[in-house]
Amino acid sequence: MKNDQTTTVAQLRQQIQQFSDARGWRKEQNAKDLVMALTVEAAELAEIFMWRHSDAADDVRQDAREFEHLQEELADVFWYLCRICQHFDIDLTQAVADKAMKNAVKYPAKTGRDR
């Protein structure tokens, strides 16, 4: 069974690439189309929560169908994020690490004296 503890981002990217290649999708897609698809999937993710009150947003996990829908939309968002990284040959792990370092400078952690 694959899970976050045993599967690497590289393995997922390879799986997505192989799936896309087998269907001839990679040669058909360009950056604009991939970003548009990511935006649509992100909107579908947001739609799950659109009419829920903030206090009830976490209740999605109580409804099996809604929770499955949430997982599917998250997978779709991740899928297109990986496809964009493949398109531009971006190492997502490195990009996240680089951004975390910039954010650490921009938003330093509060020390005990700052609280």
Side-chain angles (χ1 to χ4, degrees), residues 8-62:
T8 67
V9 173
Q11 289 170 323
L12 289 172
R13 285 183 59 168
Q14 182 179 24
Q15 179 183 351
I16 290 168
Q17 180 175 338
Q18 289 171 345
F19 186 94
S20 299
D21 287 347
R23 288 151 182 81
W25 293 349
R26 284 189 67 187
K27 62 184 172 197
E28 301 288 329
Q29 294 178 325
N30 59 62
K32 181 192 82 65
D33 292 344
L34 292 169
V35 170
M36 296 296 290
L38 174 64
T39 303
V40 169
E41 296 302 342
E44 290 177 5
L45 175 62
E47 186 177 31
I48 295 169
F49 298 95
M50 185 167 56
W51 300 115
R52 290 180 183 268
H53 189 277
S54 297
D55 294 341
D58 290 342
D59 293 345
V60 167
R61 75 181 81 180
Q62 305 304 321

Side-chain angles (χ1 to χ4, degrees), residues 65-76:
R65 282 176 74 177
E66 277 296 287
F67 191 64
E68 181 179 4
H69 186 201
L70 173 64
Q71 292 176 77
E72 290 170 352
E73 296 306 336
L74 286 168
D76 288 342

Side-chain angles (χ1 to χ4, degrees), residues 16 22 36 40 44 60 63 76 83 87 89-90 92 94 107:
I16 290 168
M36 296 296 290
V40 169
E44 290 177 5
V60 167
D63 180 332
D76 288 342
R83 295 287 292 116
H87 184 80
D89 196 27
I90 293 171
L92 183 57
Q94 188 62 54
Y107 307 106

